[in-house]
Amino acid sequence: MATIIILGGGLTGLSAAYHLEQNGFFDYKIYDKEPNAGGLCRSVRQDGFTFDYTGHLLHINDPYMDQFVEKNMGGKAAFNKIDRRSFIQSYNMLIKYPYQINLHGLPSNVITECIEEFVKRKQYIKNPKTFHTWVLKHFGAGFSKHFFTPFQTKLFAYDIKKVTPSWTGRFVPQTSLTQMIDGALNLKKEEKVGYNSTFFYPKKHGISYIIDQLTQNIRNKVQTEFNVESIDIQNKIVTFANGDFEQYDYLVNTIPLDHFLQKIIDRSTTNFKTQHKNLLCNSVLNFNLGINRADLTSKHWIYFPESQYPFYRLGFPHNFAQSMAPKNCSSLYGECSFLGNTDTETLLKKAIATTKKLFDIQNSEIITQKIISIPRAYVLYNFWREKNLPNLLAQLEMHAVKSIGRYGGWKYSSMQESVLDGKQVALELLSQLNQPIIPSTTFEQEPVFK
Ligand SMILES: Cc1cc2nc3c(=O)[nH]c(=O)nc-3n(C[C@H](O)[C@H](O)[C@H](O)COP(=O)(O)OP(=O)(O)OC[C@H]3O[C@@H](n4cnc5c(N)ncnc54)[C@H](O)[C@@H]3O)c2cc1C
């Protein structure tokens, strides 16, 4: 028996554990099905290269996160602070990201269409219900045709007319006509636009560094290789595939919500089990190459909206930190999205062949290759989610289950949000349990990690 059980030892679960402990609360247990904690914040080392479970860059814009990193992750000295060099491959040109303020160099008919349609954009769409109409309202039909529709359709592997715009927030930078025309006439210098214009990356060990550091500050270790088999939410018992079981008062769930719902032994009137089918999420096939060439590119990543490229993004970790590749070598990751079943072998072959052609990479230059499959990657904001998710999470809460994090909360979120979600749930539970909360775990001062 433990008062609190945390399912999932990714960043969200670990943050919940950390914040419970910081408040002197240790009557909890944390479980993960894998042999190691970390979830998606994971790096693998192979032939001198370090590859993340696809590119993971730390974006910090919250003062608490700032201090959390300072306190638990070795502070600024352990990270490179990097100004983004990101591009978009469009009409055989590499233009700077974001598209909407960097039209310079594109064919003149594309520029004209983007600007003309921006001016005529459908201001009369008051409350866009889909991502598609949201783009028309804010950017117009030209940007929709040349960038947003092909890119987002490829990223989601899903029809953007069936996706709501509620995830856009900080992820899609807005713009003005002046900025747009300026960007069409001039080859602009890097501008700090968007949530990811500056990012932090660990100097050593890839993104798994943050997990390694955080776990050192948590006393109760993650019980690994505990795969959740069933959850009896009436009697508050979790059973694992290894036959173990544990009773709880409160359950913090960070494992994917669709999976969690299927594991519920449901004797209540609400049929949780059938609801998982409405929760949609795509998968990402992530390929990584270690290349025996020093100067592959100085870019950080490139987006690929066009359909002749099987991937939506290529990134270059050797430009995040020197330690990611041996001296005089470069490294590269590519990401391809798909929904449901797909022929991943063919997809992979095409993606690697296209990458090699783009950078004129010879077979003899490829030192190593690592393929990583991410079965749940981007949560799809379908209409069902918009209408029913809050109610579903509230019903779980009535059964003492708090479902949080990117997949527990079923959302499009970042590592920073995982830390903040974990903190919030810990403080909520401590308050429900009438436990004192130490002010330093709630403090928010001026950011120092800028
Ligand atoms: C393609 C992609 C790129 C991303 N890039 C960035 C980025 O650049 N910057 C950024 O800030 N964020 C990025 N993210 C988001 C980031 O990865 C997540 O926000 C964060 O890692 C989520 O942590 P989590 O703990 O909520 O989930 P997870 O990391 O998924 O952890 C959940 C844990 O639950 C465990 N689990 C699952 N099923 C069971 C079971 N049955 N029993 C027991 N345990 C189980 C898993 O093993 C896992 O450890 C990216 C995500 C993706 C998919």
Side-chain angles (χ1 to χ4, degrees):
M1 166 81 195
T3 301
I4 299 172
I5 284 185
I6 302 170
L7 298 180
L11 190 53
T12 309
L14 290 171
S15 168
Y18 168 84
H19 286 97
L20 288 173
E21 291 197 3
Q22 286 293 299
N23 284 287
F25 188 89
F26 294 89
D27 184 15
Y28 78 91
K29 288 185 177 170
I30 175 165
Y31 295 96
D32 200 286
K33 70 177 165 62
E34 297 294 332
N36 298 299
L40 275 180
C41 294
R42 195 178 291 278
S43 313
V44 281
R45 277 157 270 286
Q46 189 171 291
D47 299 322
F49 292 85
T50 302
F51 301 118
D52 293 340
Y53 269 48
T54 195
H56 266 74
L57 316 173
L58 194 55
H59 310 291
I60 302 175
N61 60 10
D62 180 275
Y64 179 79
M65 181 65 180
D66 198 63
Q67 286 157 54
F68 180 84
V69 173
E70 198 65 39
K71 186 173 170 194
N72 297 295
M73 290 165 186
K76 274 177 277 193
F79 290 79
N80 289 327
K81 181 185 174 189
I82 304 171
D83 286 332
R84 168 191 74 199
R85 292 191 297 273
S86 68
F87 292 77
I88 300 162
Q89 173 90 15
S90 184
Y91 296 99
N92 292 320
M93 285 290 302
L94 270 177
I95 64 162
K96 281 183 185 154
Y97 172 87
Y99 202 90
Q100 49 272 34
I101 59 162
N102 289 296
L103 295 171
H104 187 80
L106 288 172
S108 58
N109 64 314
V110 174
I111 299 179
T112 312
E113 202 177 351
C114 285
I115 296 181
E116 256 181 18
E117 292 297 326
F118 180 77
V119 174
K120 291 194 288 188
R121 70 191 185 280
K122 302 187 179 177
Q123 300 274 19
Y124 58 83
I125 302 178
K126 283 256 170 356
N127 292 310
K129 297 268 187 300
T130 68
F131 179 64
H132 180 248
T133 48
W134 184 89
V135 169
L136 292 179
K137 178 181 164 73
H138 292 281
F139 298 100
F143 282 107
S144 171
K145 175 176 159 191
H146 298 293
F147 179 66
F148 287 104
T149 296
F151 180 73
Q152 221 61 44
T153 304
K154 194 195 273 191
L155 176 76
F156 287 153
Y158 197 63
D159 183 353
I160 60 163
K161 290 184 180 154
K162 295 182 182 166
V163 173
T164 74
S166 52
W167 57 274
T168 47
R170 71 195 173 101
F171 292 110
V172 186
Q174 305 264 349
T175 190
S176 69
L177 185 60
T178 313
Q179 271 181 313
M180 200 175 287
I181 293 174
D182 187 34
L185 294 175
N186 303 301
L187 188 58
K188 297 219 284 188
K189 294 215 174 71
E190 206 58 59
E191 230 186 83
K192 287 195 182 291
V193 175
Y195 77 100
N196 60 6
S197 64
T198 301
F199 62 91
F200 294 89
Y201 196 80
K203 286 184 177 163
K204 290 190 179 150
H205 310 305
I207 203 63
S208 63
Y209 169 82
I210 68 171
I211 297 292
D212 298 343
Q213 292 294 302
L214 181 56
T215 47
Q216 282 176 30
N217 292 336
I218 299 174
R219 196 190 75 180
N220 291 4
K221 295 299 163 212
V222 177
Q223 310 214 24
T224 53
E225 301 187 86
F226 275 73
N227 193 347
V228 175
E229 180 69 28
S230 67
I231 304 130
D232 179 344
I233 56 171
Q234 269 75 34
N235 296 307
K236 298 187 174 175
I237 299 169
V238 179
T239 304
F240 298 94
N242 60 13
D244 244 308
F245 62 92
E246 196 73 55
Q247 206 161 5
Y248 61 86
D249 290 330
Y250 293 97
L251 190 63
V252 175
N253 174 55
T254 75
I255 76 173
L257 186 57
D258 58 336
H259 182 61
F260 180 85
L261 294 177
Q262 288 178 77
K263 300 284 172 191
I264 292 180
I265 302 171
D266 188 17
R267 292 193 217 106
S268 71
T269 47
T270 320
N271 198 347
F272 287 116
K273 245 185 177 166
T274 54
Q275 307 212 26
H276 76 273
K277 291 186 196 128
N278 301 309
L279 296 169
L280 299 184
C281 189
N282 72 12
S283 306
V284 162
L285 185 62
N286 163 226
F287 60 96
N288 300 274
L289 302 179
I291 301 155
N292 191 4
R293 195 195 296 175
D295 54 353
L296 188 72
T297 175
S298 62
K299 298 175 176 57
H300 293 124
W301 66 89
I302 307 172
Y303 297 107
F304 291 87
E306 294 167 348
S307 59
Q308 71 264 35
Y309 303 100
F311 32 78
Y312 62 84
R313 179 165 55 194
L314 293 180
F316 309 95
H318 67 281
N319 294 326
F320 305 159
Q322 254 179 18
S323 60
M324 299 298 280
K327 207 162 183 270
N328 294 326
C329 292
S330 302
S331 59
L332 174 155
Y333 64 84
E335 296 161 309
C336 309
S337 287
F338 60 94
L339 188 65
N341 292 325
T342 200
D343 176 358
T344 48
E345 215 167 294
T346 306
L347 179 61
L348 193 60
K349 265 192 196 149
K350 193 171 168 214
I352 293 179
T354 311
T355 306
K356 282 164 64 183
K357 204 166 156 205
L358 258 177
F359 288 92
D360 193 23
I361 300 168
Q362 306 304 310
N363 280 342
S364 57
E365 289 182 293
I366 300 179
I367 298 174
T368 196
Q369 177 176 309
K370 174 81 187 166
I371 310 303
I372 293 168
S373 161
I374 303 176
R376 284 184 189 77
Y378 291 94
V379 162
L380 298 172
Y381 280 54
N382 58 356
F383 300 129
W384 188 93
R385 179 195 175 283
E386 193 83 357
K387 192 160 170 240
N388 299 292
L389 184 70
N391 188 30
L392 174 60
L393 295 176
Q395 283 178 49
L396 287 173
E397 196 141 0
M398 280 160 58
H399 288 88
V401 176
K402 287 182 183 280
S403 199
I404 58 163
R406 182 166 168 120
Y407 303 103
W410 206 253
K411 58 187 177 178
Y412 187 9
S413 67
S414 64
M415 294 184 282
Q416 172 177 278
E417 216 169 318
S418 288
V419 170
L420 300 178
D421 275 8
K423 171 194 164 198
Q424 190 185 327
V425 88
L427 300 185
E428 279 171 17
L429 287 175
L430 291 166
S431 151
Q432 273 167 271
L433 290 162
N434 292 320
Q435 295 282 319
I437 291 169
I438 297 168
S440 66
T441 57
T442 58
F443 64 110
E444 284 181 12
Q445 296 160 5
E446 271 300 292
V448 289
F449 207 78
K450 279 207 149 171

